[in-house]
Amino acid sequence: MTASNARRIQWVFIMTLAYAAVQVVGGWLSGSLALIADAGHMLSDAAALLLALVAYRIAARAPDKQRTYGFHRVRVLAALANGASLLLLVAWIAWEAVQRFREPTEVLAGPMLGVAVVGLIINLAGAWVLMRGHQGDGNLRGALLHVVGDLLGSIGAIAAAIGILYTGWTVLDPILSVLVSVLVVRSAWSLVSDSLLILLQAVPRGLDVEGVQADIAGLPEIAEVGHFHAWTLTDDRVVATVHVTPAPGTDPLALPARVARQLREKHAIAHATVQVDPPGELQGPHAR
């Protein structure tokens, strides 16, 4: 699955980098902020996609004595960097738009429209390629958000070019640039916040800690349960630790496998470390 996602990102990286060069020239010749902003967006995305590809290669390395969990978090760091770069790009576009409001500049709508249409086609193709990948991968999701942002940028540039052709209002160029940026902010912030939660080892979204403990406590082999902790190792792998006490007559050596299977099958926790404690060792709301 990871290798397939990496190949998809590689193809989109090549398309993005090639079109970014076209947009830089087209934006400079036409004087369009919408195209220049989108060109900067594309160049930023090309760098982000390259970072994602590097992250896949590093994450595939085997664990070692210093990093016993392996290098999976590199993918999370790449997703965080992608989201942060989008937020910085939005800030830059907003700043440039303010300058254009103060000092309007001439925009050649014809060349601007042509370049924007080509960009729309390329971004649609890139989004289609990435949407066919595994969306549980935060690295791929970050790449897709960048491409969607580029897609919105192309739509904004087309709308601005058509508006300028028919009305001559060059102010449409910075206005639509800002509107596109606003649309990108929400997705970028979601990517950043999700990555930060993983790095802070927060409880995975949708996992009810008290509900999981109650479920374990309901097993007939369990007398007590406590000290349950769960976190996300990478975007699609949840791990947990928990302490349990065996019910009378239960083989303590059978409990780790039993509890781990329950967590895996009912709560999608891929790996669980289960510690068996003597009776009376645990105190909590689920002690029986």
Side-chain angles (χ1 to χ4, degrees):
M1 189 70 71
T2 298
S4 174
N5 284 350
R7 285 194 297 271
R8 294 179 185 279
I9 291 179
Q10 184 174 8
W11 276 110
V12 176
F13 165 72
I14 294 171
M15 291 189 294
T16 300
L17 187 62
Y19 180 63
V22 174
Q23 272 199 316
V24 168
V25 176
W28 178 68
L29 291 176
S30 66
S32 166
L33 176 61
L35 276 186
I36 293 173
D38 203 31
H41 198 169
M42 295 288 278
L43 288 172
S44 172
D45 288 352
L49 292 169
L50 180 60
L51 177 61
L53 289 171
V54 171
Y56 277 119
R57 290 186 177 275
I58 295 176
R61 294 171 58 184
D64 56 30
K65 294 180 179 180
Q66 296 295 321
R67 291 158 288 256
T68 56
Y69 269 127
F71 295 82
H72 299 289
R73 286 287 174 87
V74 173
R75 289 165 56 191
V76 180
L77 290 172
L80 176 62
N82 284 348
S85 67
L86 273 173
L87 293 176
L88 290 174
L89 183 63
V90 166
W92 175 78
I93 293 173
W95 172 260
E96 288 295 321
V98 170
Q99 305 309 309
R100 288 292 181 97
F101 284 130
R102 292 176 176 175
E103 298 181 14
T105 58
E106 182 183 1
V107 177
L108 303 178
M112 174 184 174
L113 179 60
V115 174
V117 169
V118 173
L120 178 64
I121 296 171
I122 290 177
N123 288 321
L124 282 171
W128 180 81
V129 170
L130 294 178
M131 287 177 68
R132 292 171 63 87
H134 176 49
Q135 298 304 310
D137 182 346
N139 217 19
L140 181 80
R141 188 160 59 93
L144 179 59
L145 288 175
H146 276 274
V147 173
V148 170
D150 290 333
L151 179 60
L152 294 173
S154 295
I155 293 173
I158 291 172
I162 293 174
I164 293 170
L165 277 173
Y166 282 95
T167 67
W169 298 344
T170 57
V171 72
L172 292 174
D173 186 54
I175 288 176
L176 286 171
S177 298
V178 172
L179 291 177
V180 169
S181 299
V182 171
L183 294 175
V184 173
V185 165
R186 182 177 179 180
S187 296
W189 178 248
S190 174
L191 187 63
V192 169
S193 61
D194 286 349
S195 300
L196 287 175
L197 286 175
I198 292 175
L199 294 175
L200 291 171
Q201 294 187 298
V203 174
R205 293 186 187 276
L207 187 67
D208 179 6
V209 172
E210 292 186 355
V212 173
Q213 288 193 114
D215 180 49
I216 298 173
L219 296 173
E221 302 92 340
I222 303 296
E224 298 175 311
V225 58
H227 304 301
F228 176 78
H229 302 280
W231 65 98
T232 307
L233 179 60
T234 185
D235 32 53
D236 56 358
R237 184 175 175 84
V238 177
V239 296
T241 61
V242 64
H243 290 221
V244 296
T245 297
T250 300
D251 179 8
L253 296 180
L255 284 186
R258 177 71 180 92
V259 173
R261 184 171 65 252
Q262 183 80 356
L263 291 173
R264 182 174 58 254
E265 294 176 354
K266 292 198 63 175
H267 304 285
I269 295 176
H271 176 78
T273 300
V274 183
Q275 178 172 319
V276 181
D277 292 334
E281 191 78 13
L282 295 175
Q283 299 294 330
H286 302 296
R288 299 203 314 248

